[in-house]
């Protein structure tokens, strides 16, 4: 989430890295007011940051003051990287909003490759040790 005014050019794409793969099921967007405020937005999600799919979106009203949050909801999708594509109310140099919050259902546990390798090597060593001990015990 962010609680400062974020902005870019007209028709901006904002990028977020959630830091881990999570089950994302929605977002809330607090808008600014005026020509630079977000009009339409589309939220896309990705696990790898390369292949994105549309999750949700909506249209926000341009209010006389900071307006309440616009929300979008969808079935939970495994996501780490989020893109938000926007249009505004006609300002050519920026699109701005105040805050965005993501609705995370749960964090997905992803084992590290090094941990799996270490576990496998330990298991193989244990089996080899047990096999050698059995071999010594059976000899006269």
């Amino acid at each position: 989430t962010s609680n400062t005014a974020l902005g870019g050019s007209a028709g901006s794409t904002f990028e977020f890295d959630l830091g881990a793969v999570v089950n994302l099921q929605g977002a809330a967007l607090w808008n600014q007011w005026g020509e630079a405020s977000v009009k339409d937005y589309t939220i896309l999600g990705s696990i790898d940051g390369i292949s994105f799919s549309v999750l949700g979106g909506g249209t926000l009203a341009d209010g006389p003051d900071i307006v309440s949050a616009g929300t979008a909801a969808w079935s939970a999708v495994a996501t780490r990287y989020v893109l938000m594509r926007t249009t505004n109310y006609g300002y050519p140099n920026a699109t701005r909003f105040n805050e965005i919050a993501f609705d995370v259902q749960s964090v997905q546990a992803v084992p590290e490759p090094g941990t799996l390798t270490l576990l496998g090597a330990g298991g193989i060593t244990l089996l080899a040790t047990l096999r050698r001990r059995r071999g010594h015990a059976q000899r006269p």
Side-chain angles (χ1 to χ4, degrees), residues 8 13 17 27-29 33 39 43 45-46 48 51-52 60 72 74 76 89-90 102 107 109 115 125:
T13 298
D17 179 350
L29 179 68
W33 60 275
K39 180 179 181 183
I43 296 176
S46 171
D48 60 10
S51 301
F52 285 84
L60 300 174
W74 51 84
Y89 280 92
F102 297 103
V107 176
T115 303
T125 303

Side-chain angles (χ1 to χ4, degrees), residues 67-133:
V67 295
S68 61
T71 59
W74 51 84
S75 297
V77 176
T79 305
R80 175 174 176 165
Y81 302 97
V82 177
L83 294 180
M84 184 176 72
R85 294 187 179 143
T86 65
T87 63
N88 66 24
Y89 280 92
Y91 191 67
N93 300 322
T95 299
R96 298 191 186 281
F97 64 95
N98 285 330
E99 185 172 348
I100 188 166
F102 297 103
D103 185 1
V104 175
Q105 181 185 36
S106 62
V107 176
Q108 292 196 343
V110 179
E112 296 178 31
T115 303
L116 292 176
T117 303
L118 210 59
L119 229 74
I124 290 170
T125 303
L126 180 62
L127 288 174
T129 303
L130 290 173
R131 195 172 209 190
R132 269 186 295 194
R133 286 184 182 172

Side-chain angles (χ1 to χ4, degrees), residues 10-23:
S12 293
T13 298
F14 298 91
E15 301 177 20
F16 304 93
D17 179 350
L18 303 179
V21 176
V22 300
N23 288 316

Side-chain angles (χ1 to χ4, degrees), residues 11-66:
S12 293
T13 298
F14 298 91
E15 301 177 20
F16 304 93
D17 179 350
L18 303 179
V21 176
V22 300
N23 288 316
L24 189 64
Q25 62 184 14
L29 179 68
W30 286 264
N31 211 5
Q32 287 200 349
W33 60 275
E35 291 181 329
S37 64
V38 172
K39 180 179 181 183
D40 296 302
Y41 67 99
T42 303
I43 296 176
L44 301 96
S46 171
I47 290 177
D48 60 10
I50 299 168
S51 301
F52 285 84
S53 56
V54 174
L55 301 177
T59 300
L60 300 174
D62 177 22
D65 204 344
I66 295 176

